Amino acid sequence: MLESENREKELKAAIKTENIPHHVAVIMDGNGRWAAEKGLPRYEGHRQGVEAVRLTVRNSSYLGIKVLTLFAFSTENWKRPVSEVNYLMSLPGKYLQSELPELIRNNVRVRLIGDSKKLPRRVQKAVNEGAEATKENTGMILNFALNYGSRSEIIMAVNRLVDDVKKGRNIGSVDEIIFSSYLYTADMPDPDLLIRTSGEKRISNFLLWQLAYSELWFTDVYWPDFSRLHLLEAIYEYQKRKRRYGSV
Ligand code: V0D
C-alpha cells in the first residue's frame, strides 16, 4: 500500500466528524510554478488547477464543510498577460457547464464574492446563471472570489454604510456586526480555517476582516496537486489546534 493511502486512512480515523470547520477558505496558489517545473505552459497549470477545484468541492461537501470560499481571481491578477487573463476568464463558464449537474445533485449553492461588475459580461452571465440555478440549495455554500480584493471590499462596505447613513437608514453607532453586514460575506460565518498552497505564507489581501480569528494552514504542495489527503491534513491540524486551546 502507498504511504499516502495509509496516511489518508490514519487521518480519516483521527478526524472527529463533530468538529469539522464550518467555513474553509483557500488561496489556490502555485499553478504557474507547477507548470514551469513540468516544462508546460502556464495555462496547463490552471487547467489542472480546475481539476483540483472539482475534487476539493466534492471532498469538502462530502466532509460536511458548510462554506467553502475559493480565491480564484484577485484584483491584482489583471496585471498578468492578456492571453493568460483570457484563458482564466474561460474557466468559470467551463467549470459550471460541466459541474452544475453534480453541484445540484450534491445540494451545493454557488455564490460569487468580489467586484463582478468589472468581469467580462459572459463571465458575469455564466456565474449568475450558476448562482441562480443553485440558489435554493441548502447544502454547502461554494463561494468563488472573483475580482476580489479585501481592502477594496472594506472600502466598498464603508461607502455603502455612509450612503445608508445619508439616507437616514443607519443613525445609531456602527458595531462589528453591523459593519460585517456590508461585506460580501454578510450572511456567512467567518472562516475557521484558511489554507494556502505553494509555500507562500501571506494573506495577500484575502478576507482581511473575516480571517481575524481563523486558523492558518500552509503547505508547499502546488494547487494542482492538492488532493483529499491535503484537505484531511489541514482539517486534522485544525482539530489538534482547537483541542489544545480547549485544554488551557
Ligand atoms: C485558475 C486555481 C474555477 C486558480 C483554480 C476566473 C486559478 C483554477 C473557477 C470558477 C480558476 C470561478 C467561478 C465559478 C466557477 C468556477 C475559476 C478562475 C480561475 C478565474 F462560478 N477555477 N478557476 N475561476 N482557476
Side-chain angles (χ1 to χ4, degrees):
M1 197 200 292
L2 286 167
E3 203 180 319
S4 60
E5 286 176 29
N6 207 25
R7 179 66 183 150
E8 205 172 303
K9 287 216 171 110
E10 271 177 29
L11 289 166
K12 278 187 188 147
I15 287 172
K16 306 263 176 294
T17 49
E18 66 273 17
N19 192 22
I20 299 289
H22 275 245
H23 184 174
V24 176
V26 189
I27 302 177
M28 306 183 288
D29 200 6
N31 299 307
R33 265 172 281 177
W34 178 92
E37 281 191 10
K38 293 185 147 48
L40 296 169
R42 288 176 65 83
Y43 73 85
E44 281 297 342
H46 297 317
R47 182 162 60 189
Q48 228 21 73
V50 177
E51 293 311 309
V53 170
R54 287 185 223 278
L55 293 175
T56 302
V57 169
R58 197 172 294 156
N59 291 328
S60 299
S61 147
Y62 178 77
L63 285 166
I65 289 167
K66 298 276 187 279
V67 185
L68 177 68
T69 300
L70 303 177
F71 202 0
F73 194 87
S74 82
T75 49
E76 307 304 306
N77 289 154
W78 296 109
K79 294 177 195 154
R80 294 184 178 183
V82 176
S83 57
E84 186 176 342
V85 170
N86 286 342
Y87 182 77
L88 288 168
M89 289 301 154
S90 75
L91 298 177
K94 271 193 236 164
Y95 176 90
L96 290 168
Q97 169 106 15
S98 75
E99 295 302 289
L100 215 43
E102 183 177 327
L103 294 173
I104 291 168
R105 222 180 319 121
N106 290 338
N107 199 22
V108 174
R109 179 174 181 189
V110 176
R111 300 179 77 177
L112 187 68
I113 66 169
D115 187 359
S116 59
K117 297 281 159 308
K118 294 192 183 109
L119 295 168
R121 289 300 273 285
R122 65 197 156 77
V123 176
Q124 292 184 37
K125 188 164 174 280
V127 178
N128 288 337
E129 282 171 8
E132 185 63 27
T134 58
K135 71 174 184 206
E136 307 289 351
N137 289 353
T138 55
M140 188 175 80
I141 295 175
L142 171 57
N143 289 314
F144 284 101
L146 278 191
N147 195 28
Y148 176 86
S150 190
R151 287 187 174 183
S152 92
E153 175 188 34
I154 290 168
I155 297 299
M156 166 210 71
V158 169
N159 281 310
R160 287 175 52 200
L161 182 59
V162 167
D163 216 59
D164 274 0
V165 172
K166 278 189 199 153
K167 291 180 176 140
R169 276 199 285 258
N170 239 316
I171 35 179
S173 63
V174 176
D175 62 13
E176 293 182 11
I177 312 259
I178 292 175
F179 183 75
S180 311
S181 75
Y182 286 87
L183 298 170
Y184 293 123
T185 48
D187 42 1
M188 287 171 252
D190 288 338
D192 302 287
L193 172 64
L194 172 77
I195 295 173
R196 182 169 189 159
T197 57
S198 195
E200 308 298 342
K201 296 183 178 67
R202 297 187 292 275
I203 303 298
S204 298
N205 204 20
F206 188 45
L207 302 172
L208 298 178
W209 171 278
Q210 298 89 335
L211 290 170
Y213 297 104
S214 310
E215 293 296 334
L216 311 179
W217 189 80
F218 302 99
T219 174
D220 288 339
V221 166
Y222 297 143
W223 177 251
D225 291 327
F226 189 87
S227 71
R228 181 166 57 196
L229 176 70
H230 308 108
L231 182 63
L232 293 171
E233 290 284 6
I235 293 172
Y236 175 65
E237 174 69 24
Y238 165 83
Q239 293 191 342
K240 269 204 304 192
R241 293 186 201 173
K242 285 289 162 199
R243 275 203 295 283
R244 278 205 294 275
Y245 297 147
S247 64
V248 284

